[in-house]
């Protein structure tokens, strides 16, 4: 079962409760959800949801991977897949793809 818009909205609400100063930065995603946009689809523009992970080793070093299309180093992450049911699972799947 694909991720629901409700899950995305609940995740954003929990994040905004913990970091209220960032609520305005999330308004574009919330507006897209209000319009009924499928923000889990990579084809939804101008905004869609992706998932990423931060992996630290015991020395506090962060894992970065080279993104070929952007020619930049980024933390592991990417677009949601149909089988992703929540953002945490999507982030862990993305991390596993580079390990």
């Amino acid at each position: 079962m694909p991720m629901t818009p409700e899950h995305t909205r609940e995740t954003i609400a929990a994040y905004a409760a913990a970091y209220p100063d960032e609520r305005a930065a999330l308004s574009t995603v919330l507006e897209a959800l209000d319009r009924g946009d499928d923000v889990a689809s990579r084809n939804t523009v101008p905004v869609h949801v992706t998932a990423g992970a931060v992996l630290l080793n015991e020395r506090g070093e962060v894992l970065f991977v080279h993104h070929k299309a952007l020619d930049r180093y980024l933390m592991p992450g990417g677009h949601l897949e149909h089988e992703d049911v929540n953002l945490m699972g999507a982030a862990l799947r993305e991390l596993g793809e580079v390990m």
Side-chain angles (χ1 to χ4, degrees):
M1 177 169 106
M3 189 168 1
T4 66
E6 293 78 22
H7 171 71
T8 303
R9 189 180 298 279
E10 290 167 4
T11 302
I12 291 171
Y15 181 84
Y19 304 97
D21 291 345
E22 297 192 28
R23 184 174 251 310
L26 300 167
S27 64
T28 305
V29 180
L30 293 171
E31 290 167 4
L33 287 166
D34 289 344
R35 283 192 306 270
D37 294 354
D38 180 8
V39 297
S41 170
R42 69 180 69 203
N43 298 318
T44 303
V45 291
V47 62
H48 57 267
V49 176
T50 61
V54 177
L55 182 65
L56 301 169
N57 67 13
E58 63 280 351
R59 294 184 304 272
E61 298 168 326
V62 179
L63 173 67
F64 287 91
V65 293
H66 185 254
H67 190 288
K68 291 178 187 174
L70 298 176
D71 194 26
R72 293 173 48 187
Y73 285 89
L74 306 169
M75 289 180 285
H79 292 99
L80 304 178
E81 302 294 339
H82 184 73
E83 65 271 9
D84 293 326
V85 296
N86 60 51
L87 291 166
M88 179 67 77
L92 292 173
R93 177 188 50 73
E94 288 287 342
L95 180 59
E97 289 177 4
V98 298
M99 299 305 287

